[in-house]
Amino acid sequence: MDSDTSRVSSRPSSPEVDDIFMSAMKKSVHGFSGAVSSTQSDSPPEIPADLRGHSSADEDALTLKMMSKKDRKLLSESELQSIRLKINSRERKRMHDLNVAMDGLREVMPYAHGPSVRKLSKIATLLLARNYILMLSNSLEEMKRLVSEIYGSSGHHGGFHPSACGTMTHAGPLPGHPTASHASHPAVHHPLLPPAAVSTASLSAPGISAVTSVRPHHGLLKAPAASAGPLGSSFQHWGVGTGMPCPCSMCQVPPPHVSSMSTVSMPRLASDSK
DNA sequence: TAGGCCATCTGGTCCT
DNA sequence: AGGACCAGATGGCCTA
């Protein structure tokens, strides 16, 4: 439940840590006794195992090792320390930015958000995002096809040009439109519903609400077959009662127009393979 | 307790 | 030369 969020919040990945780090670091540098290896004072909470309990001789060896890679420039230990700290700090910031971007991706993913929902792992986020994009592409193609079917013969627009129409959604049912009976939600496929499912089962209000409002538990990968519901799709697994697609590699949507993507070997989700 | 996920450190490589 | 990027190693936290 909140375990993950609390875990995340307890994780010092925020930039503040850098400040703490640097201040603590300055202390350690100023109070430097000369017995700390070049990698130590940077990580007060954790001391790398390989450096733990090293003698000053070992530390000297480490320092020399580093010196050799620095063209043996004559740098004082404090200088080496500050360089190492700077590098570490940059790397921390880089990873923090990466995590921020990952959070941004999670936010726009059609997946349940909220404190009661376990946060998607990074790999799950990436795989789900990929599937989401593929489905959006499929939906777009499907919509183009339908629109060209509708307008292609009537000569209303003389073809499909979304730039002129803005969005695909007209206000009301279109004359002769196959989905005219669904006036409340015209031929708009929910992005998460595979086109095949949409075209065969058509969207129903419950289907939409199930996708948009349900806050699933983290049943991302192990959805019972029954939970697939009436949607039926190209996905092997679906989220528990949510109609959420499974991001695992088994459930790749192979859209014809992005076939090149499907050839990309995706790293297998460890939890999928087990 | 094992396994998954993550943050961090670190050294190497590439780029500007 | 300095910074960005990457991958391996390590250890902590959490869950089943």
Side-chain angles (χ1 to χ4, degrees):
Chain A
M1 203 195 295
D2 287 354
S3 60
D4 199 61
T5 54
S6 64
R7 187 177 80 179
V8 169
S9 62
S10 68
R11 282 290 189 175
S13 61
S14 60
E16 317 148 10
V17 180
D18 292 347
D19 301 336
I20 298 171
F21 238 134
M22 295 308 282
S23 59
M25 165 56 205
K26 286 195 169 91
K27 262 191 264 176
S28 76
V29 168
H30 288 314
F32 195 69
S33 64
V36 180
S37 80
S38 62
T39 60
Q40 287 311 290
S41 61
D42 191 17
S43 53
E46 310 173 18
I47 298 176
D50 57 292
L51 295 177
R52 233 178 270 154
H54 280 233
S55 65
S56 59
D58 291 332
E59 286 148 8
D60 287 344
L62 282 173
T63 302
L64 282 175
K65 189 176 168 188
M66 179 177 272
M67 294 288 280
S68 68
K69 308 217 163 156
K70 286 284 182 181
D71 293 336
R72 292 180 167 74
K73 283 188 177 176
L74 293 177
L75 296 175
S76 68
E77 280 196 68
S78 61
E79 283 172 325
L80 290 175
Q81 283 269 3
S82 68
I83 289 173
R84 193 64 251 176
L85 278 175
K86 234 168 77 177
I87 294 172
N88 290 351
S89 181
R90 271 202 308 269
E91 177 67 9
R92 237 179 284 129
K93 181 185 179 302
R94 195 183 69 85
M95 295 308 296
H96 177 259
D97 291 344
L98 184 65
N99 288 333
V100 168
M102 190 67 74
D103 287 339
L105 184 57
R106 286 190 187 99
E107 281 179 17
V108 300
M109 288 303 298
Y111 189 77
H113 307 283
S116 63
V117 177
R118 191 187 183 92
K119 198 171 87 172
L120 283 174
S121 68
K122 291 179 179 178
I123 183 68
T125 300
L126 292 175
L127 292 172
L128 187 58
R130 177 181 182 269
N131 280 348
Y132 185 31
I133 291 169
L134 294 180
M135 273 188 292
L136 288 175
S137 299
N138 272 346
S139 295
L140 185 59
E141 289 302 313
E142 179 82 355
M143 280 193 290
K144 282 180 181 177
R145 190 184 62 77
L146 288 175
V147 169
S148 62
E149 277 182 12
I150 293 165
Y151 295 115
S153 58
S154 68
H156 168 60
H157 282 333
F160 172 58
H161 48 103
S163 61
C165 292
T167 66
M168 297 291 298
T169 58
H170 288 260
L174 299 168
H177 193 283
T179 60
S181 60
H182 302 321
S184 60
H185 38 272
V188 177
H189 302 166
H190 191 281
L192 270 183
L193 300 179
V198 173
S199 60
T200 57
S202 80
L203 284 177
S204 62
I208 294 178
S209 63
V211 171
T212 57
S213 63
V214 170
R215 300 290 168 105
H217 189 65
H218 190 61
L220 188 60
L221 305 174
K222 299 174 180 90
S227 68
L231 295 177
S233 74
S234 54
F235 283 86
Q236 306 293 324
H237 312 124
W238 286 79
V240 180
T242 66
M244 288 296 303
C246 170
C248 77
S249 56
M250 286 177 58
C251 301
Q252 308 301 315
V253 178
H257 58 289
V258 288
S259 57
S260 61
M261 290 188 65
S262 62
T263 63
V264 176
S265 64
M266 295 293 291
R268 292 188 61 193
L269 197 56
S271 57
D272 287 348
S273 59
K274 293 190 179 174

